[in-house]
Amino acid sequence: MSSSAVPQRADLRPAGRPIRGAVRRIGTAAADVVVGGALVLGAVVASPVLRRRYNRWGVDEEEVTADLPGDELVAAPDLGYTRGITVDAPVDVVWPWVAQMGQGRGGFYSYDGLENLCRCDIHSADHVLPEHQDVAVGDVVRLAPGRAPSFRVHAVRPPVALVLVSAGPDAPDEQARAGAGTPVVTWQWILRPSGGGRRTRLLVRQRLSRPPAQRLMWRLVEPVGFVMERRMLRGIKARAEGRAPGGQVAGGQVS
């Protein structure tokens, strides 16, 4: 074997890595569509029976009835839920994953492949993104590119609270427009230290005021949202604990 054969073989090894990465991404997207789609269909069919359970998934009665920042934005909600998960990491490790969520940012850590079938262009990060950590009141958290529904930051108190309120593609603040046919929706993210500060109770609450004509639409959206958000909570937990999807090591430090 000539001496030139060794570097030629060494040069071929890195070339295969992008291909393997592309194959892995395609496989993950396909799994998202199949698994996520099946769960969504099951949740929609079972929603009349399971609605109470999935609207308080992962929380106890005290957390369901607790006053949380942002509740005042929709004082008498037509629909709402409180969900939660315990993360084996302190709040300052969990917070960066919450702070960077959004389309064009850190993604939503859910079934990206399923969301991208709807052209949401979501790419969930498996590491903390320093450029998306400075969240400020008025910032927009998009669900999809272009003129899609979005949320606007109403209040932020790192590392324990992020309160979002629904906003359309143009209006700076739509809190008062429910009577005109536009729903008002909050998305409240609360982080509470537990276990002597070694763990975090991550709570998420949504409160919705909607026109009567949209009653059926939101009852269908509700179980779909549960499936996606449960995966999101589990995705944040895995990343904050240093476990990215697929068993990879997640980067938990801002660099």
Side-chain angles (χ1 to χ4, degrees):
M1 181 181 291
S2 67
S3 60
S4 62
V6 174
Q8 289 172 358
R9 185 173 182 178
D11 290 343
L12 288 174
R13 289 178 182 176
R17 292 172 186 171
I19 296 175
R20 288 196 298 270
V23 171
R24 186 183 300 114
R25 287 192 295 271
I26 292 171
T28 299
D32 281 354
V33 172
V34 174
V35 176
L39 290 172
V40 164
L41 179 60
V44 170
V45 172
S47 61
V49 176
L50 299 180
R51 184 168 179 261
R52 174 180 170 84
R53 181 176 299 178
Y54 65 60
N55 278 342
R56 48 179 62 201
W57 181 85
V59 294
D60 58 28
E61 189 63 29
E62 181 180 352
E63 290 170 328
V64 169
T65 58
D67 292 330
L68 299 183
D71 284 354
E72 71 282 357
L73 297 174
V74 182
D78 297 306
L79 293 175
Y81 63 77
T82 304
R83 300 178 185 131
I85 199 167
T86 298
V87 183
D88 290 324
V91 293
D92 60 347
V93 173
V94 180
W95 172 259
W97 301 99
V98 175
Q100 70 185 28
M101 67 184 183
Q103 189 276 332
R105 296 165 55 84
F108 293 107
Y109 323 116
S110 189
Y111 296 103
D112 289 7
L114 194 57
E115 292 175 312
N116 290 336
L117 278 182
C118 302
R119 300 183 179 180
C120 292
D121 193 23
I122 303 295
H123 305 280
S124 295
D126 60 7
H127 60 281
V128 171
L129 305 173
E131 65 271 26
H132 295 306
Q133 293 303 306
D134 296 327
V135 184
V137 172
D139 286 354
V140 174
V141 176
R142 300 191 180 280
L143 304 181
R147 296 177 56 81
S150 60
F151 286 88
R152 195 170 297 274
V153 177
H154 175 82
V156 56
R157 187 157 60 93
V160 296
L162 176 65
V163 178
L164 308 176
V165 67
S166 55
D170 302 314
D173 192 339
E174 301 192 1
Q175 294 180 39
R177 296 182 57 189
T182 301
V184 179
V185 187
T186 63
W187 207 12
Q188 303 151 242
W189 292 84
I190 310 300
L191 292 76
R192 292 178 167 178
S194 68
R198 297 184 301 273
R199 297 188 180 110
T200 301
R201 278 296 288 165
L202 176 59
L203 304 179
V204 58
R205 175 175 290 175
Q206 193 167 94
R207 291 162 70 88
L208 165 68
S209 174
R210 49 102 182 110
Q214 296 183 3
R215 179 177 180 274
L216 179 59
M217 180 191 76
W218 283 101
R219 286 296 294 268
L220 290 174
V221 169
E222 190 181 63
V224 176
F226 161 66
V227 171
M228 303 304 289
E229 191 172 88
R230 179 178 61 178
R231 174 64 176 260
M232 186 177 181
L233 287 169
R234 289 171 170 170
I236 293 173
K237 173 181 170 70
R239 288 165 171 81
E241 293 177 355
R243 301 177 291 105
Q248 302 175 39
V249 175
Q253 300 297 323
V254 178
S255 59

